[in-house]
Amino acid sequence: MPYRITITNTGESYACAGEDNLLKAMEQLRRKGIPVGCRNGGCGVCKVRVLQGDCVMNKMSRAAVSEEEQRQGHALACRVQPRSDMQVEVVGRMARAVESRRSASFSFDFRGEGRMKQSDKEN
């Protein structure tokens, strides 16, 4: 059963199955601009803060997420598996990419629906 993951930075949401991690579900939407690094909990590129919901946080590098940060809800999206609907805040490099879509003329939201602004120029 897929869970609804809401990104509070933008208000967007997407579905993520319990056996998948948050980053894998984001990648499957083929949205450009999602930073992806090692996909294995070591680089810290996909850092998020879990604000609400239940999840499993698998082992991740302490260089990327300290024990104190983890106590505050920080984790790497590649190492988080949902167990309920969740609300997350993207932070660091991922936040810049997600929030920059607001000014893009062509973008995909996390539900996979494309929106395109018509150009005044003809091709």
Side-chain angles (χ1 to χ4, degrees), residues 4-6 22 50 52-55 80 82 84-88:
R4 201 98 205 118
I5 311 303
T6 302
L22 301 183
V50 176
Q52 192 173 51
D54 296 322
C55 63
V80 176
S84 72
D85 291 349
M86 296 177 65
Q87 287 187 1
V88 299

Side-chain angles (χ1 to χ4, degrees), residues 33-44:
I34 297 298
V36 176
C38 68
R39 294 181 179 92
N40 202 26
C43 71

Side-chain angles (χ1 to χ4, degrees), residues 6-45:
T6 302
I7 298 173
T8 60
N9 307 57
T10 63
E12 297 169 301
S13 64
Y14 65 96
C16 183
E19 63 273 6
D20 288 336
N21 62 60
L22 301 183
L23 182 62
K24 181 179 178 183
M26 284 182 203
E27 286 182 286
Q28 289 177 349
L29 295 170
R30 310 236 191 288
R31 181 176 181 259
K32 293 183 181 191
I34 297 298
V36 176
C38 68
R39 294 181 179 92
N40 202 26
C43 71
V45 171

